[in-house]
Amino acid sequence: MKIKGCWLVLSLLAITAGSSAQVVNPHLESIHIDGFIGERIQTCIDKRVKGQDVNELIEPFRYLTEGNLWQSEFFGKWMLGAIASYRYSADPELFQLIQNSMEKFLQTQRPDGYIGNYKPEDRLTNWDIWGRKYSALALLDYYRLTNDKNALEAAQRSIDCLMDELKERNVDIATTGNYLGMASCSILEPVVYLYRATRNDHYLDFAREIVKNMEQAGSSRLISQALRDVPVAQRSPYPQQWWSFENGQKAYEMMSCYEGLIELGKELDDPLLLEAARKTADHILKEEINIAGSGAAFECWYGGKALQTYPAYHTMETCVTFTWMQFCARLLRETANPLYAEAFEQTMYNALMASMKDDGSQISKYSPLEGRRQPGEKQCGMRVNCCNANGPRGFALIPSVAYQSDDTHLFVNLYLPSAATITLGNRNKVSLTSRTRYPLDGKIDLTLDPQKNSTFALALRIPSWADEDYEVTINGERTESLYRGGYLILTRLWKKGDQVAIDFKPKARVVELNHTQAVTYGPLVFARDSRFQDGDIDECAIIQRDPQGFIEATPENASAPFAWITLQVPMILGTDLENEENKAIKMVNFCDFASAGNDWAPEGRYRVWIPKTLHVMSEPYHRY
């Protein structure tokens, strides 16, 4: 059988046509994920989503007493995570919780359409519009899930109220709130969804007005700055006051605005809006995202990729982690560029999985590359914070990204032990089963069961780290292996029971930066953890590697009770080479970054970047 292999770049707009909120995959009829990722998703649903006291999140909306804080975001974030979790799990208990919560929430809407908790005189200031955004997103996603017209009407009345207030007070939305207006202007996303649901032109006009105001002098100018290739950490002067309107580097709010710009670009058929988002994401990848797939400090871009080996205060906020994943998922949907799937995977396995405590009871606010995990502060006088509310959305996003399709292609983006049913356009359904221990090793066995024999393209994402001699076979017959970092397209007449076997042959390797070293294996990052009790995790060392940077080390599954995957790394520890015993190579235990410090014990410590001992007889020390 002749197999066609090629690399693919095309539009996946059809994948999510008609979506009203979030990154949703309507061609994915069902999916169940097993293994470590599946267990973590389910734990998050059971403990974080279903375990949340939702009444506490709704209570602030009953009183118009706020003028400064952001508690009005918490309910919307929770609801979005709960709905996405229900789409994956079909849990009837969760659906009942969603429905009951929405009924209570709808009762808080004021006669003028306002849903929020700000005093009338303080509306349009600080976090008011940001909170309205999350309420509108939640209402629209609930409408999409249930077709409840009350939710759609509530979203319309809420956005109409905002439009009326801006007009009556003669206020430019881009001058409100914080961070050069980005917090307020991010409401662009639900405004576009509302237009998509109603086809009422005044919502499209409002969306255009938001973008016009965004581009004015003194505002964020997210389109023009992106098209001029301005790095995200240099979008505005260093602020005199960090938490203020003048800070234009705020990571979370910036990416949220680009998500709205992508959606508006689809409605207006304006490729420049997508291009601005794409250029921004590429800058974030190049300059900000660290080895664990996250970034930012004090929630702002700061050129952190080059500085990631230096401990930083308040780094890798979970809200930034999730929003980066959602940004990548949206760009993957629009461009079919597997670069965004690889970035999503890196963040998923490392930064996101590290954010949740081992028992699922909490999600950390920050997950630095060294130190210890710990709870975030309680915010706004409540028993929750932004990341505990937002983090579950990251876990619930994974199923919708794993497999995607259009009329002629079935895309395998994530290699998870799973069973899924995917529709190819309106013509055929394909059941796909993936059996794998990936990323413990690089072997994946796929079984395809099309509803009827048909010709289509199976698009396999080939990671950039795959061995140059990686293998793909169909029913035992090896196919041509092409370049890494793209999609390998296998076009043939697919029949029930066809088998595709993949072996990426990953190797452990050393990454060096700023005279420190880190260990990776496939998409995983590893860390020393004090619970191994095998020495000082902060001690300098030389990791033993070959000239290409590879390590003679094989990962193991569950060799330590607290870890998912462990790896023994050969190292020469410390600075003493006089004693032959000290000079000997020692095997030091590392674990996957997600497991590092996952019990949040105050006495525990972990570390990704290992200081490299300077050896002036063997290297040009003047470089350091």
Side-chain angles (χ1 to χ4, degrees):
M1 177 84 52
K2 183 175 176 62
I3 304 296
K4 298 178 182 178
C6 66
W7 302 108
L8 179 70
V9 177
L10 51 75
S11 172
L12 292 182
L13 292 178
I15 288 178
T16 53
S19 298
S20 65
Q22 285 203 301
V23 178
V24 182
N25 184 350
H27 289 183
L28 183 64
E29 186 169 293
S30 65
I31 182 172
H32 177 77
I33 299 171
D34 290 313
F36 177 76
I37 297 296
E39 182 275 327
R40 294 278 81 191
I41 293 173
Q42 191 59 52
T43 297
C44 186
I45 293 172
D46 292 339
K47 298 296 182 67
R48 275 304 314 136
V49 179
K50 294 169 66 175
Q52 177 64 51
D53 179 359
V54 188
N55 288 327
E56 182 188 16
L57 308 185
I58 297 173
E59 190 66 14
F61 292 89
R62 305 186 191 282
Y63 312 102
L64 302 180
T65 58
E66 188 55 70
N68 183 46
L69 301 178
W70 56 92
Q71 57 268 71
S72 57
E73 71 172 35
F74 296 153
F75 174 79
K77 287 181 173 181
W78 175 85
M79 179 59 74
L80 290 165
I83 291 173
S85 297
Y86 175 74
R87 287 195 177 102
Y88 167 68
S89 67
D91 181 340
E93 183 181 12
L94 177 56
F95 179 79
Q96 194 62 54
L97 177 59
I98 291 168
Q99 189 176 50
N100 292 345
S101 300
M102 183 54 73
E103 288 176 359
K104 294 177 182 177
F105 182 66
L106 286 170
Q107 294 171 5
T108 70
Q109 188 164 34
R110 305 289 164 167
D112 65 355
Y114 180 68
I115 300 182
N117 69 328
Y118 269 53
K119 293 175 284 188
E121 64 270 23
D122 288 326
R123 290 188 192 180
L124 308 182
T125 69
N126 294 309
W127 296 100
D128 179 44
I129 299 178
W130 172 263
R132 298 196 212 194
K133 173 193 74 172
Y134 275 109
S135 295
L137 283 172
L139 290 165
L140 288 163
D141 214 18
Y142 184 78
Y143 166 67
R144 186 180 188 277
L145 179 71
T146 64
N147 202 34
D148 185 339
K149 298 296 194 296
N150 291 324
L152 178 60
E153 181 184 351
Q156 288 181 269
R157 293 178 60 216
S158 175
I159 298 299
D160 289 346
C161 174
L162 174 61
M163 294 167 62
D164 290 344
E165 287 183 319
L166 290 167
K167 184 176 181 180
E168 290 167 3
R169 301 188 187 189
N170 193 27
V171 171
D172 173 350
I173 191 172
T175 65
T176 68
N178 296 302
Y179 315 116
L180 299 185
M182 290 188 295
S184 294
C185 289
S186 68
I187 203 167
L188 174 65
E189 184 185 357
V191 171
V192 175
Y193 295 149
L194 189 55
Y195 169 71
R196 194 171 291 162
T198 65
R199 290 298 161 184
N200 188 322
D201 284 340
H202 74 232
Y203 298 126
L204 188 60
D205 292 340
F206 183 38
R208 288 192 178 103
E209 181 183 349
I210 293 171
V211 174
K212 177 183 176 182
N213 294 344
M214 193 186 293
E215 281 297 303
Q216 293 179 151
S219 297
S220 59
R221 295 177 295 134
L222 292 179
I223 301 169
S224 55
Q225 294 210 80
L227 295 177
R228 290 191 293 109
D229 274 321
V230 179
V232 290
Q234 300 173 25
R235 295 286 181 88
S236 68
Y238 193 83
Q240 292 184 0
Q241 183 180 346
W242 196 261
W243 310 113
S244 68
F245 182 84
E246 64 184 13
N247 187 331
Q249 279 70 257
K250 192 69 159 56
Y252 176 13
E253 286 77 0
M254 181 188 292
M255 290 187 288
S256 298
C257 286
Y258 280 111
E259 294 193 277
L261 288 169
I262 291 171
E263 297 302 327
L264 181 60
K266 290 169 63 175
E267 293 302 327
L268 298 179
D269 194 24
D270 184 348
L272 281 182
L273 300 185
L274 176 60
E275 180 66 2
R278 187 196 64 77
K279 279 179 169 285
T280 297
D282 291 352
H283 274 286
I284 293 170
L285 265 176
K286 179 181 177 182
E287 298 143 12
E288 301 294 342
I289 297 300
N290 62 32
I291 197 169
S294 188
F298 284 104
E299 303 158 34
C300 294
W301 302 128
Y302 68 110
K305 186 170 188 175
L307 302 172
Q308 63 183 288
T309 60
Y310 304 111
Y313 287 119
H314 288 190
T315 185
M316 294 173 62
E317 188 204 26
T318 299
C319 283
V320 173
T321 295
F322 158 68
T323 309
W324 169 242
M325 291 177 68
Q326 184 168 254
F327 194 21
C328 287
R330 206 178 297 262
L331 285 166
L332 174 66
R333 179 196 70 189
E334 298 301 323
T335 68
N337 186 338
L339 169 75
Y340 301 119
E342 184 157 322
F344 183 98
E345 179 185 60
Q346 177 193 29
T347 307
M348 175 189 76
Y349 278 120
N350 299 292
L352 180 70
M353 292 300 133
S355 70
M356 188 166 69
K357 194 176 181 181
D358 54 0
D359 64 5
S361 60
Q362 289 196 65
I363 289 175
S364 62
K365 198 160 185 285
Y366 303 104
S367 300
L369 296 176
E370 67 168 88
R372 65 181 180 90
R373 313 267 188 248
Q374 56 189 330
E377 80 278 15
K378 296 179 176 63
Q379 294 178 337
C380 307
M382 301 174 70
R383 293 174 296 169
V384 69
N385 61 48
C386 55
C387 296
N388 260 320
N390 217 17
R393 298 173 67 195
F395 290 83
L397 181 59
I398 294 166
S400 68
V401 174
Y403 304 104
Q404 296 180 325
S405 68
D406 61 14
D407 288 346
T408 58
H409 295 79
L410 195 164
F411 297 85
V412 181
N413 294 319
L414 303 175
Y415 294 101
L416 301 167
S418 56
T421 300
I422 306 103
T423 302
L424 291 171
N426 296 317
R427 302 183 308 150
N428 198 4
K429 290 182 181 179
V430 179
S431 294
L432 187 150
T433 303
S434 172
R435 297 177 180 85
T436 183
R437 298 199 305 162
Y438 178 102
L440 183 65
D441 61 35
K443 297 179 180 179
I444 305 103
D445 292 319
L446 302 175
T447 301
L448 281 77
D449 286 326
Q451 192 176 44
K452 56 186 178 182
N453 296 346
S454 60
T455 298
F456 60 87
L458 180 68
L460 304 175
R461 182 178 64 85
I462 308 301
S464 60
W465 50 258
D467 187 81
E468 61 184 10
D469 193 32
Y470 77 89
E471 296 180 9
V472 178
T473 65
I474 301 178
N475 298 330
E477 179 182 346
R478 185 166 179 174
T479 69
E480 180 183 5
S481 296
L482 300 175
Y483 301 106
R484 295 161 289 174
Y487 285 114
L488 175 61
I489 308 301
L490 304 175
T491 302
R492 71 191 298 270
L493 177 65
W494 293 96
K495 301 177 181 179
K496 184 177 179 63
D498 279 340
Q499 305 282 326
V500 178
I502 306 167
D503 188 356
F504 292 129
K505 303 179 181 180
K507 298 176 183 177
R509 69 182 72 196
V510 175
V511 178
E512 293 197 16
L513 178 66
N514 301 333
H515 209 58
T516 63
Q517 313 142 97
V519 177
T520 66
Y521 179 85
L524 296 176
V525 177
F526 283 81
R528 292 194 69 178
D529 190 303
S530 59
R531 289 173 292 178
F532 284 117
Q533 298 183 350
D534 58 356
D536 179 2
I537 68 165
D538 296 315
E539 186 174 16
C540 60
I542 299 290
I543 299 177
Q544 302 302 289
R545 45 170 245 181
D546 68 17
Q548 286 72 46
F550 296 117
I551 308 171
E552 289 292 334
T554 303
E556 299 178 0
N557 199 349
S559 64
F562 60 83
W564 171 35
I565 297 176
T566 57
L567 190 71
Q568 285 200 319
V569 177
M571 304 169 72
I572 296 177
L573 297 167
T575 60
D576 184 7
L577 294 181
E578 298 302 317
N579 185 320
E580 286 300 314
E581 182 180 348
N582 290 337
K583 183 180 177 180
I585 296 172
K586 293 182 171 61
M587 302 305 293
V588 178
N589 291 297
F590 282 62
C591 69
D592 62 286
F593 181 68
S595 298
N598 62 359
D599 61 352
W600 296 19
E603 67 276 9
R605 268 186 53 77
Y606 64 89
R607 186 183 188 101
V608 168
W609 290 104
I610 308 301
K612 184 179 180 182
T613 314
L614 180 62
H615 196 328
V616 299
M617 293 174 62
S618 62
E619 55 186 310
Y621 64 89
H622 62 271
R623 292 184 305 172
Y624 304 109

